[in-house]
Amino acid sequence: MIEELLIDQQREVLTLRLEDGRCIDLPDSVLRASCKCAFCESGRRKGEPPLVAEGTHIVGWESMGAAIHLKFSDGHARGIYPYPYLLTLAEAQAAELPTAP
């Protein structure tokens, strides 16, 4: 489970602090590209995934109980990210990180 969400605007990441003590950084650009709003999902079904400009970052957020509503610098403000979805993205991100030898 997610214990805390931290938005680091300087590093352009959303850090998830999990109850097991792990912290996983989700880049803002990954979150923007992973938006599940109707507009973004409609584009994906048409074979047109969201185009995320370099430097797109979180400019605002709102807690929604077991979800977070994110607003991005490209003007996109439709995405609501339920905590289970953030965990899925975090686990995928953690799986991509190299492990120490």
Side-chain angles (χ1 to χ4, degrees):
M1 289 295 301
I2 296 173
E3 292 240 334
E4 185 176 22
L5 297 172
L6 303 166
I7 294 175
D8 186 332
Q9 291 183 329
Q10 186 174 23
R11 293 178 40 232
E12 297 184 355
V13 297
L14 173 69
T15 300
L16 309 181
R17 189 168 58 81
L18 307 179
E19 65 184 0
D20 64 6
R22 292 181 299 149
C23 288
I24 300 174
D25 290 339
L26 287 171
D28 294 356
S29 58
V30 168
L31 289 162
R32 174 63 183 90
S34 302
C35 180
K36 292 285 197 179
C37 77
F39 180 79
C40 291
E41 284 297 295
S42 174
R44 283 189 191 89
R45 284 192 293 276
K46 295 175 188 174
E48 303 167 1
L51 297 176
V52 180
E54 187 175 332
T56 298
H57 58 278
I58 296 170
V59 294
W61 64 277
E62 178 182 358
S63 177
M64 303 188 80
I68 187 170
H69 173 217
L70 298 176
K71 299 172 186 175
F72 294 91
S73 60
D74 64 357
H76 191 75
R78 298 178 182 180
I80 296 174
Y81 297 76
Y83 287 179
Y85 183 54
L86 288 174
L87 285 171
T88 299
L89 293 174
E91 293 300 330
Q93 185 75 15
E96 291 179 15
L97 296 174
T99 56

